[in-house]
Each structure stands twice: as C-alpha cells, then as structure tokens.
Amino acid sequence: MRTTAQGGTAHSVSVIISAMYTTHHLQKMVAVSQQLGSEDIVVAAASHLIPEIPTPVRAKTRMVPVEPEQQINPFSGRALAASHARGAVLQFLGEDRFYSAMELRRFLFPIVHGRVQVLLSCEGRRHHRSRMTMPLDSLILFFHELFGRTDLGTASLFGTPHAITQIALRRISSELLQHPAHALYQWMKTGARIGVQQVEPMRDTLPYNPQLYGATQGECSFFEKAVIREQMDFAASLPHRNGLTDGGRRREELFQEPIPERVQPRQTVEKGSRLSVIIPARNEARTIEAVIREVKLLNPLEVIVVVNGSQDSTAAKARACGAVIVEFAHPLGVDSGRAVGASLAAGEILLFVDADFVLPAQDLYPFVLGCQQGIDLALNDQSAFFESHSGNVVVAARQALNLVADRKDLGTGSMLAVPFALRKEAFASLDWSLLACPPLAQMAALTAGLRVELVHAVDSFSLNRFRPEKHLAKRGHSPAVAQMLGDHMEAFHYWSKQYRGGNPK
C-alpha cells in the first residue's frame, strides 16, 4: 500500500498480524491486507503454530517466529515483527477483531497524511467492547489521567488496530513495543504526536480465541492479566505517588497520643460479636449528634469519635452522646482518623462511618452482619449509583484496583466509601496505619487473602458534603481527586512489591 502524504511523500504501509495463540484468523486478515494494497505483510506467529498456517498464507507473508520463552507476553511478537517491517508506517492487527479494508483505509488516514505519528483506535458507536474488557478500560483511563492525556480516552497500544511511523519507532526502539504502557509513555515524553481514530469492526465476526479471552464474568482472562502485569510494571517505575498530594496526612503522628479511657462494655450485638463504631470528625457539630444516635441503634460496645483540628463543638456534643473522644488539636489529614480509631477499638467488629452525613441503622447493620457471618472486610456496593459517572477517573481507579488484585467481581467496591466494616482479628495482622490510605488498606487486605465481599448498597456517594476547597480547582485535578489518584498509586506500588519484589522489568 502506497499513499500520498502531505508534501507529496509516498508512505508505504507494513501490516503486522499477531498469531500468538491461534491461526484461525490469518487467512481472512491477510486477504484484507492485500485489499489494502500492502506489499509487506508480516506475521508474528508462535513457533509451534507456524506448521498449521496454510501454504498460500505463508507464501503471501513473511513469518517471524516467536519462541516459547517469549510467548508468556502476548505483545512480544509485535516487537519482533516491527524490527522486520519495511514500510514507513506500521499497522498492527490483533487476534480479536476483523475489519474491512475500507474501514482500515479510513483508520490509517491521519497517520499516512502526516497528522500523527502514533495512531490508536477506539470502537465506534455501533460496537462497544464486551463487558469482559471494560475493567481494562478503567486501568487505561487511570494512567491517561495521570499524564494529562484524557483526550486518548480508553485507547491504548494494548488494543488493535494501531499504527506507528518508522520515525516514531526510532525514538524508542522496536523492542519496547513488547511493553505497551512503557512505549506509549516514552512517546508522550518525547513529544510524539499521538492521536485516536474511531474504527468499526465487522459485525458478528469475533474470532474464537479462548486462550486470550476465555474467562467467566468474575475472573480475569489471560489477556487481561497480561495487560495488568504490563501496567503494574509501568506503575512500579513511577514515583511512589507520582507527585500527587497526600491529603495533608500526618501519618508519623497518628499513634503518638495516649490511649483514652474506655467506656464500660455494654450489651453485645447478636452472636456475641462486640461492635466498635469509628467516626472521624472535623467541624461536624451540625451532624455529629444525629450520626451517633443512629449508630447507637446497633447497640455497640463503643462509639469512638476521632476529633481532629475542629474549631467548633464537635467534641463536646459527641462526648455528651456517650462517645469515646480521641481529640487532636490539629488536622490529621484525610481518612487518618480511621487508623487511630481502629487501633484503639476494643470490639471484634469495626464499623466505619463519616460524621458529615447520617445513614439509617438499617443501612449500617448489613455490614456488621456480614462480618458476623465470617466476612473479613464488608464493602459498600455503589455500582448502581455510578451510572452517570462512567468517565469519573476516581470511579475508574476503584475498579482498576480490584482488577489488579484479581477481584474483578468487586467492581468499584472500595474502602474509600463508607459504610464498611472489618473483623479486627483478620485485619490485625496488617498495619493499622494502612487505614489512613483506604486504597492501600484494601490492596493489603486483598493480597493477604482476607475474605472481602460486597454486602449492601448504600448511596453515600451523593451524600458527601461538597467542599469547594477540596473539590474544585482552577486547573488540573482538584485536591480531592489528586489525593485519591495518589492513594491508588500507593496501592499499585504495594502490589508490585508483593508480587515483583519491587523490581519492575
């Protein structure tokens, strides 16, 4: 294929087709590539599959074998094939979609005409990615948000088709293509022009490929796990919080205050499990009494209110309601009161609520009940309340964390959202200070093998008090969003240390 670009320069296109797990798609894809007029069709095929490829297909293409030790990475074949490609533009086709020659020709238009140097794809309105791949979108959105490239949406080098120029490839070397997240970031750093083009797959023509995509709804497929590994290797190469704010946390001071006297044990809740309720509070005099009245309907052993940096009567009102008060003159930082309260709690089950809005006892009890029935960490299922927030990067980060921890079934469930409850005995093996950073605490619980489940749905999302100083920004991320993105970076670093010894590729 030769196409005239701006300035009259002819661009030849090499088509690179992956065949790492199946060869069923090759004949059709080679035929489409020939319709494009490409004179250079390169097939990156697993070495053991090459004998299965029909002779006519082999005659029309150049074969690049991928040896067994390289096949653990589904992207390694792309890197090998790219080093053999002759065209000025390299178009990559995968094993999961078929496209017509007309659609691919339209897709290539921006790159062959010199408008971009790296071209990613997104599916058009008529076709949407299956539910199986949607969680991967959340991970991709998270990293694009970190680097200010929200214009890329969910497009990435993980998916196909995509195309790059030889000029762009020389900036990073073809070898880096086996690590798509690293490659795209390097192009961002070097100022390469990166664009996204919609492309429509042919209807009802999904190739059968269980090696890549065969998985039940609640588990990760081989392809998803490969993307997660690559993204986490990339995350491990970044700074701890990637320069994002920590929400003013004073983690080193959390456990320096003396332990207060406890109230006398009261009547236990069902089945003998003693309940402690932890409520961080700062300037919440308007709501604290109503919050305590509601949680007392659960008949807890104690209600611990961690008052930090308050300048109103929050502490006095909470004390008058019979709560145990742990008071700091200065703010501890977002969520840090949870860690302090948990470290002091005497109950077998710890229930966490916020002080700025009131939740009815009937919406709190299921979390306590879940822990009584053996769940170590009982989370709030807010998925039904996020339908209008599909582009929210914090929602995406929550889903990404569970995906990385191989708990796709948890969806967007997060310790960021109250109410949640945990069994003290199960969590005691971890560090209570982790609770100051909820995503980090959740990742620690998941990687430690604690039983984590969604137990009830409470719309606390819309009840959070709007605070302009936290939720608004003149440019970039608001302080609240920056802090939560940084929290998830901490969680990803924790995962990397647990499973990769802190040593990315």
Side-chain angles (χ1 to χ4, degrees):
M1 176 180 179
R2 300 186 69 81
T3 309
T4 303
Q6 291 176 343
T9 303
H11 281 265
S12 59
V13 176
S14 290
V15 178
I16 295 173
I17 307 172
S18 294
M20 299 283 285
Y21 306 98
T22 182
T23 61
H24 297 159
H25 62 303
L26 280 180
Q27 194 160 356
K28 193 167 189 174
M29 286 191 168
V30 169
V32 168
S33 300
Q34 287 184 305
Q35 292 174 37
L36 288 172
S38 177
E39 299 173 2
D40 187 36
I41 305 173
V42 185
V43 175
S47 56
H48 68 280
L49 294 179
I50 291 179
E52 300 178 6
I53 299 173
T55 301
V57 172
R58 293 163 69 177
K60 297 168 185 174
T61 62
R62 291 190 293 127
M63 292 288 154
V64 176
V66 183
E67 300 304 327
E69 65 271 14
Q70 299 168 307
Q71 292 170 21
I72 191 172
N73 181 344
F75 315 110
S76 59
R78 301 177 187 176
L80 288 170
S83 66
H84 291 79
R86 301 165 182 161
V89 172
L90 284 61
Q91 173 168 285
F92 295 81
L93 301 178
E95 305 179 45
D96 62 336
R97 296 287 192 276
F98 286 127
Y99 300 90
S100 68
M102 180 181 70
E103 194 68 17
L104 291 176
R105 195 174 288 114
R106 186 179 67 82
F107 168 74
L108 286 170
F109 187 90
I111 198 164
V112 298
H113 286 271
R115 297 179 182 177
V116 298
Q117 296 166 307
V118 179
L119 183 61
L120 311 176
S121 66
C122 64
E123 291 188 359
R125 294 181 181 276
R126 287 191 292 117
H127 294 266
H128 297 283
R129 283 180 169 83
S130 66
R131 290 182 66 184
M132 186 174 293
T133 59
M134 282 299 290
L136 287 182
D137 291 348
S138 66
L139 199 55
I140 292 164
L141 280 170
F142 175 82
F143 285 102
H144 286 173
E145 183 79 24
L146 281 187
F147 300 114
R149 291 306 304 263
T150 55
D151 58 301
L152 300 181
T154 60
S156 74
L157 287 172
F158 292 109
T160 55
H162 61 260
I164 59 176
T165 65
Q166 285 280 11
I167 293 173
L169 188 60
R170 285 195 289 270
R171 290 186 177 189
I172 67 167
S173 86
S174 60
E175 185 178 354
L176 197 56
L177 291 179
Q178 64 185 308
H179 304 301
H182 285 274
L184 187 59
Y185 178 57
Q186 288 303 314
W187 273 318
M188 290 180 186
K189 286 178 62 177
T190 60
R193 298 191 304 278
I194 306 170
V196 179
Q197 178 82 332
Q198 281 193 357
V199 60
E200 296 280 3
M202 297 172 67
R203 294 187 178 186
D204 303 321
T205 57
L206 288 178
Y208 175 63
N209 199 334
Q211 295 93 332
L212 279 179
Y213 302 105
T216 61
Q217 184 175 353
E219 64 183 0
C220 293
S221 68
F222 175 83
F223 179 75
E224 287 176 319
K225 289 179 180 178
V227 172
I228 291 166
R229 285 196 304 269
E230 292 298 321
Q231 292 279 35
M232 291 301 99
D233 280 346
F234 174 55
S237 71
L238 299 173
H240 187 54
R241 292 183 65 90
N242 203 46
L244 294 165
T245 175
D246 191 26
R249 295 183 176 109
R250 305 165 70 120
R251 303 191 198 194
E252 71 284 355
E253 300 178 22
L254 292 185
F255 305 114
Q256 293 182 2
E257 297 291 325
I259 297 176
E261 293 184 7
R262 301 187 186 282
V263 295
Q264 291 298 313
R266 300 172 185 167
Q267 182 181 347
T268 58
V269 293
E270 288 184 23
K271 300 183 181 179
S273 297
R274 301 187 302 168
L275 173 66
S276 294
V277 181
I278 288 98
I279 311 174
R282 182 187 177 198
N283 295 328
E284 306 294 358
R286 184 173 61 87
T287 53
I288 190 64
E289 293 170 304
V291 171
I292 294 174
R293 278 198 302 269
E294 205 64 35
V295 300
K296 278 195 167 184
L297 294 176
L298 300 174
N299 203 20
L301 165 69
E302 59 189 358
V303 178
I304 301 175
V305 180
V306 183
V307 183
N308 59 108
S310 277
Q311 298 175 336
D312 64 5
S313 58
T314 297
K317 289 187 174 183
R319 187 176 288 108
C321 291
V324 176
I325 306 303
V326 184
E327 190 166 10
F328 294 80
H330 51 266
L332 295 176
V334 62
D335 297 320
S336 297
R338 297 180 181 178
V340 172
S343 71
L344 302 176
E348 299 166 14
I349 294 173
L350 312 186
L351 174 67
F352 297 82
V353 299
D354 282 347
D356 55 347
F357 55 86
V358 182
L359 293 173
Q362 59 263 31
D363 276 334
L364 300 175
Y365 180 65
F367 299 91
V368 179
L369 180 62
C371 289
Q372 289 174 346
Q373 293 177 344
I375 294 173
D376 297 323
L377 174 57
L379 294 179
N380 184 2
D381 182 5
Q382 294 187 309
S383 56
F385 313 117
F386 286 153
E387 292 181 1
S388 60
H389 299 276
S390 58
N392 186 313
V393 68
V394 176
V395 175
R398 290 167 57 159
Q399 186 175 40
L401 185 150
N402 292 324
L403 185 72
V404 168
D406 201 16
R407 287 298 306 273
K408 184 197 286 191
D409 59 298
L410 292 177
T412 59
S414 174
M415 291 176 73
L416 284 172
V418 292
F420 68 86
L422 58 84
R423 289 198 316 115
K424 185 175 182 180
E425 181 182 14
F427 204 87
S429 61
L430 305 173
D431 189 338
W432 290 117
S433 66
L434 294 172
L435 289 169
C437 181
L440 179 60
Q442 183 168 335
M443 184 65 84
L446 290 169
T447 55
L450 271 59
R451 183 182 171 191
V452 182
E453 303 291 346
L454 301 172
V455 299
H456 187 53
V458 182
D459 184 13
S460 55
F461 184 81
S462 62
L463 295 175
N464 280 318
R465 185 179 300 174
F466 178 75
R467 304 174 192 272
E469 70 278 8
K470 288 180 58 177
H471 299 128
L472 293 179
K474 292 182 178 179
R475 62 178 64 88
H477 301 125
S478 70
V481 169
Q483 167 251 309
M484 286 185 279
L485 292 182
D487 288 355
H488 283 84
M489 276 298 297
E490 280 200 48
F492 294 148
H493 271 268
Y494 183 93
W495 186 92
S496 296
K497 290 177 181 178
Q498 293 293 309
Y499 287 97
R500 302 192 179 278
N503 297 312
K505 292 180 182 177

